Amino acid sequence: MAAGKSIAAGRGAWIVFEDEAGQSMTPPRARTWGRVGRTPVVRVRGRGSGRVSMAGMACYKSGERSRLIYGIREYRGRKGEPKGFTWRDFRDLIVRARIQLGGPIVLIWDNARIHLVPPLTEFFEANAHWLTVFQLPTYAPDLNPQEGIWSLVKRDIGNLAAANLGQLTRAVKHKLKQIQYRPHLVDGCLAGTGLALDG
């Protein structure tokens, strides 16, 4: 992490933490109000209803407002439909981040198999003048502030009994958009990892 920070400082680059998450039609467990002695139970359709995949980037640079950049993909179980993000989706998300941030990027993400495919490695090598990539240690989600973003999203949709995949997708997008306009939440997710930007 220290190497990533020093490279970012030397290049005037953004430090970008990336991670993926997903949500099925079965909502995560959440707390809510109810009558004393009566636990509220909401029945939902959960099987075979599809999934919403999310890829997000928590972006930080000293002296700049923190940013959140994300992509959403719906999986409806159709033949030939990818279940999640492809390497091209990650490439396009990284390029979009560079355009939106307007400068070089130090990308920090986990070592998921899709992150290590040869076409992405070739893309990284071809764009080394503006992109530096670091892998997080194995099983270290506590070092990635994007995990905190997913926690905020799932807490918000915990009491949503979506009627269909479209409603779930709209709820996820709405929450992510709210977080985009509240940079203090993105900052809080970085603080929650124990990491800090110098300067």
Side-chain angles (χ1 to χ4, degrees):
M1 299 306 288
K5 288 201 304 190
S6 61
I7 289 173
R11 291 187 174 186
W14 287 80
I15 298 179
V16 175
F17 293 87
E18 193 279 344
D19 192 47
E20 307 87 54
Q23 181 59 52
S24 67
M25 290 291 292
T26 304
R29 287 183 179 235
R31 292 181 177 267
T32 188
W33 295 97
R35 292 184 175 179
V36 176
R38 294 188 185 178
T39 303
V41 177
V42 178
R43 306 211 180 278
V44 295
R45 298 179 337 194
R47 292 180 45 176
S49 303
R51 180 177 181 81
V52 176
S53 295
M54 306 168 274
M57 294 178 159
C59 311
Y60 304 93
K61 184 177 179 182
S62 209
E64 298 279 349
R65 177 178 63 84
S66 300
R67 311 269 182 88
L68 171 64
I69 298 169
Y70 64 89
I72 301 284
R73 176 182 284 278
E74 286 184 348
Y75 172 67
R76 297 182 178 274
R78 297 182 180 129
K79 188 175 182 180
E81 181 182 23
K83 289 187 178 180
F85 289 90
T86 66
W87 72 266
R88 287 182 183 87
D89 295 322
F90 289 117
R91 177 200 62 196
D92 295 347
L93 188 62
I94 294 166
V95 169
R96 184 159 53 100
R98 185 200 182 195
I99 292 167
Q100 289 184 21
L101 298 173
I105 290 173
V106 173
L107 176 66
I108 302 170
W109 61 2
D110 60 26
N111 54 6
R113 189 177 304 155
I114 191 68
H115 296 167
L116 306 174
V117 297
L120 267 183
T121 303
E122 291 165 13
F123 169 74
F124 297 154
E125 290 169 358
N127 293 281
H129 59 285
W130 64 267
L131 178 62
T132 306
V133 180
F134 289 95
Q135 312 288 156
L136 284 167
T138 306
Y139 304 116
D142 52 321
L143 294 177
N144 193 337
Q146 187 60 42
E147 293 281 355
I149 302 288
W150 300 142
S151 178
L152 292 172
V153 171
K154 295 201 174 196
R155 185 185 316 159
D156 197 61
I157 63 173
N159 290 312
L160 172 69
N164 53 54
L165 190 59
Q167 184 182 3
L168 177 61
T169 302
R170 286 190 298 277
V172 167
K173 285 182 178 178
H174 178 72
K175 184 58 181 178
L176 287 168
K177 184 67 73 178
Q178 283 184 327
I179 296 170
Q180 276 186 321
Y181 287 102
R182 291 169 174 84
H184 66 279
L185 293 177
V186 184
D187 290 336
C189 291
L190 180 65
T193 66
L195 303 173
L197 294 178
D198 295 331

